[in-house]
Amino acid sequence: MEQIPFVPSAPHTLGIELELQLIDPRTFDLTAASDELLAQMANHPIADRVKPEITRSMIELNSSVHEHPMGLLAEMREMRSALCEAADAVGVTVAGGGAHPFMRWQERSISDTPRFQYLAEMYGYLARQFTVFGQHIHLGVANGDDAIKLTRQLSAYVPHFIALSASSPYYEGVDTLFSCCRLNAVNSFPLAGHLPPEVNDWYQFEAHLSQLRTYGLAESIKDLYWDIRPKPEYGTVEIRVCDTPLTVERACQIAAFAQALAVLLKRQPQSEKGLWLAYRNNHFQACRFGLQGSYVTGDGQRLRLIDHLRSVFGLLAPIAEELGTGDMLGSLRDDALKSGNDARWLRGQFHRLRDLPSVVDAMAVAFRGDGGMAAAVGLSGADPTAVARRRVRATSEPLLGAVGVQTLAEPEETLTPRRLH
């Protein structure tokens, strides 16, 4: 059995990856501009941290390693400014969000790298449908055994990460009725899912991967589209379930949440009783209903996810103060409990604007973070709660024209939030 070397990292250090949308500012559809954008940034100091993704309508920002989320936030703001400046130069705009609201996967173009071309050949149309956008969070660990332990412990909180980051309610012009539809595309891949419950240490993980290779099911860890997986060459555990938030501020808040949670789980290991039995249902509930989904605890207690999350924030508060991230977690908590997630904000924008291209415009304004938030959020003197309390029903009909769209009464949790981050 081949051994997999694990490069140690300082525990609880962190970094993030953000997959971002490249938008045509005239149509607000996705545009295949990654090659031009990468060329524009070729001589920039951060050029090595801006990378292509599977289709040419995507770009990825990679942070460096940080001990403190505030340093991460400062870096991400600098990278955002540099990326937006380069995007302006090539005539495109950039947006966050887990899925583009009305793009068509048939029109996507695969990036010209050996791995992406292989994926396109292997997975057919799924590769183009994989034009979805996620945030990956890396947490440093000292060794492989610690990586497997943290992966298992964090698995109970996969629904929390999904619901906090959810920003993909619309897909191909339809309200999917999901808070996060992005993970439905990820779950189409045969090795999607989670760490096998029987894997308890690094040796067992090596044995599992060796068996996959022997059976011809996987060539490397890259083929494991797990919700959380070890990343031995970085010395990290990688959380992969988050949609890309609409702002880098929210992305860094969620990273701070992950760091504090890792510290809590290190100090207070939790029982895994019932974890895997409820895993898929908890995952679905978070994707479908976001913060209002049901959550089944390891001991079988069933409650609203937002109520469980409230208790988790209570446990994390003293740790966050100790780490110096109390303000970041406090903002994340307050926004989640009072305003909801980005999916709710996006639905509020559609109910106000009745036009998905205008929603994409608001997404791009929000990402820039340059003072144009009032236009994006729609707070120019108007009461945002004055919009009609309606939600579009998921049908095969596109939402690009609001006239004649079938709707149903909108529940209270989908009202327009008063602010974005």
Side-chain angles (χ1 to χ4, degrees):
M1 182 180 72
E2 181 182 355
Q3 292 186 330
I4 305 172
F6 192 95
V7 179
S9 292
H12 313 311
T13 51
L14 76 162
I16 64 173
E17 305 165 22
L18 292 182
E19 296 164 346
L20 298 167
Q21 307 186 35
L22 300 182
I23 307 294
D24 183 327
R26 296 172 297 278
T27 66
F28 299 106
D29 198 354
L30 291 179
T31 183
S34 60
D35 292 346
E36 293 86 344
L37 187 55
L38 289 168
Q40 178 68 26
M41 299 196 72
N43 296 319
H44 196 280
I46 69 165
D48 63 332
R49 288 184 279 129
V50 183
K51 298 181 179 179
E53 254 299 334
I54 188 166
T55 68
R56 290 187 170 98
S57 302
M58 311 173 69
I59 206 77
E60 181 179 278
L61 287 186
N62 295 299
S63 79
S64 52
V65 179
H66 291 268
E67 294 184 359
H68 197 285
M70 285 303 295
L72 173 66
L73 176 57
E75 179 187 40
M76 295 308 298
R77 283 172 167 166
E78 291 176 2
M79 293 177 70
R80 174 183 61 190
S81 296
L83 180 65
C84 288
E85 182 179 350
D88 290 343
V90 299
V92 300
T93 58
V94 182
H100 186 277
F102 62 88
M103 75 94 184
R104 290 175 57 81
W105 65 263
Q106 298 94 328
E107 299 170 0
R108 306 283 63 85
S109 173
I110 300 294
S111 295
D112 189 18
T113 70
R115 175 162 179 79
F116 293 147
Q117 292 294 326
Y118 162 76
L119 291 176
E121 182 177 349
M122 177 66 182
Y123 293 111
Y125 83 107
L126 292 179
R128 287 177 170 80
Q129 283 199 325
F130 206 40
T131 306
V132 289
F133 307 84
Q135 172 184 0
H136 297 176
I137 303 169
H138 290 265
L139 296 169
V141 288
N143 54 59
D145 285 345
D146 285 353
I148 298 302
K149 183 178 180 180
L150 182 58
T151 298
R152 295 180 67 92
Q153 291 278 300
L154 285 172
S155 294
Y157 298 90
V158 160
H160 305 65
F161 285 105
I162 293 172
L164 284 170
S165 66
S167 60
S168 53
Y170 298 110
Y171 189 70
E172 294 201 357
V174 173
D175 187 328
T176 65
L177 298 187
F178 277 67
S179 285
C180 167
C181 78
R182 164 185 159 268
L183 287 173
N184 294 327
V186 179
N187 291 337
S188 298
F189 289 83
L191 293 179
H194 56 74
L195 177 80
E198 64 272 16
V199 173
N200 289 287
D201 57 32
W202 191 247
Y203 177 82
Q204 291 177 343
F205 174 75
E206 290 176 323
H208 177 71
L209 188 59
S210 177
Q211 187 175 33
L212 291 176
R213 286 171 172 161
T214 299
Y215 285 16
L217 301 175
E219 294 182 4
S220 71
I221 295 176
K222 286 184 177 181
D223 295 320
L224 305 178
Y225 288 85
W226 292 350
D227 296 335
I228 307 175
R229 72 182 182 190
K231 194 76 170 176
E233 65 269 36
Y234 291 168
T236 64
V237 168
E238 181 185 16
I239 302 168
R240 299 165 49 83
V241 293
C242 296
D243 280 357
T244 296
L246 297 178
T247 68
V248 298
E249 287 77 15
R250 172 57 55 85
C252 293
Q253 290 169 3
I254 294 173
F257 176 84
Q259 183 188 53
L261 183 59
V263 173
L264 174 67
L265 294 173
K266 178 73 172 180
R267 296 176 181 177
Q268 302 177 28
Q270 299 181 12
S271 170
E272 295 179 16
K273 178 183 177 183
L275 165 62
W276 307 110
L277 181 64
Y279 186 95
R280 291 306 306 171
N281 185 75
N282 285 340
H283 187 288
F284 168 80
Q285 285 281 325
C287 288
R288 172 64 177 85
F289 299 106
L291 294 162
Q292 301 303 322
S294 295
Y295 180 73
V296 179
T297 64
D299 58 5
Q301 182 184 5
R302 187 180 184 90
L303 67 163
R304 285 197 311 164
L305 179 57
I306 195 169
D307 293 330
H308 192 266
L309 186 61
R310 184 180 288 108
S311 68
V312 172
F313 274 118
L315 294 173
L316 294 181
I319 293 174
E321 291 299 327
E322 179 184 329
L323 295 173
T325 57
D327 289 345
M328 296 183 79
L329 260 68
S331 294
L332 180 64
R333 178 199 62 221
D334 292 347
D335 284 349
L337 299 182
K338 296 176 183 179
S339 303
N341 54 26
D342 284 349
R344 183 186 178 194
W345 186 87
L346 288 165
R347 285 196 170 103
Q349 292 303 298
F350 178 75
H351 296 325
R352 181 176 67 88
L353 300 166
R354 312 306 297 175
D355 178 66
L356 283 180
S358 297
V359 172
V360 177
D361 187 20
M363 292 166 60
V365 172
F367 179 77
R368 295 184 77 98
D370 57 3
M373 189 60 68
V377 182
L379 300 183
S380 53
D383 179 0
T385 62
V387 298
R389 298 187 178 187
R390 301 195 303 173
R391 180 177 66 191
V392 177
R393 186 189 300 273
T395 70
S396 60
E397 296 299 320
L399 300 179
L400 301 185
V403 177
V405 175
Q406 190 174 13
T407 62
L408 47 83
E410 179 185 354
E412 181 180 355
E413 65 268 19
T414 58
L415 297 180
T416 311
R418 292 185 175 275
R419 62 174 179 152
L420 176 64
H421 312 164

